[in-house]
Amino acid sequence: NLEAKTAQHLIKDYIDSNAVLQTDKSTTFSDLSNCIDVHVREISGTKEGNFNLKWVHIAISNLKKHLQTYHMISERMMQNYLDEFCYKLNRRYFGQKLFDRLIIASIYPYWYDCG
């Protein structure tokens, strides 16, 4: 859910209090002063605001679209779907070099150990 209490709870549990947190001006992130030291709030996606979070919103939108292709995703398998999306997102520009990169990644530990 997008309640402020939930966001505060997650930020306290998973983000270091000394970190710098950059969010949009959603009401979900309105009061995080007791959770984190530095909180930067920006207008995102409007003509007068910065577009620092533009690609974050695009990635989230693409993730939602990706998850809609699967029906009845169980909570137990959700991490696998998220991992697949991250894998594809991080390798989207490899193109024809993807196979070469896979070969290098597979032999690199052997090559490194053999000296």
Side-chain angles (χ1 to χ4, degrees), residues 1 4-5 8 16-17 35-36 38 44 46 52 65 67 73-74 79 84-85 93 98 105 110 112 114:
N1 64 24
K5 279 186 192 179
Q8 289 174 1
D16 184 23
S17 63
C35 302
I36 199 153
V38 180
S44 178
T46 62
N52 293 338
K65 200 179 304 180
L67 291 177
I73 298 174
S74 67
Q79 189 62 50
E84 176 190 2
F85 177 77
Y93 297 119
L98 185 60
Y110 176 75
Y112 185 74
C114 292

Side-chain angles (χ1 to χ4, degrees), residues 4 9 14-15 17 21 29 34 37 45 47 50 55 70 73 79 82 99 101-103 107-108 114-115:
H9 178 69
Y14 296 107
I15 297 178
S17 63
L21 184 63
F29 309 113
N34 59 346
D37 289 341
K47 290 181 182 176
N50 286 333
W55 291 108
Y70 307 106
I73 298 174
Q79 189 62 50
L82 295 174
F99 182 75
R101 300 274 307 211
L102 178 65
I103 297 298
I107 66 170
Y108 180 75
C114 292

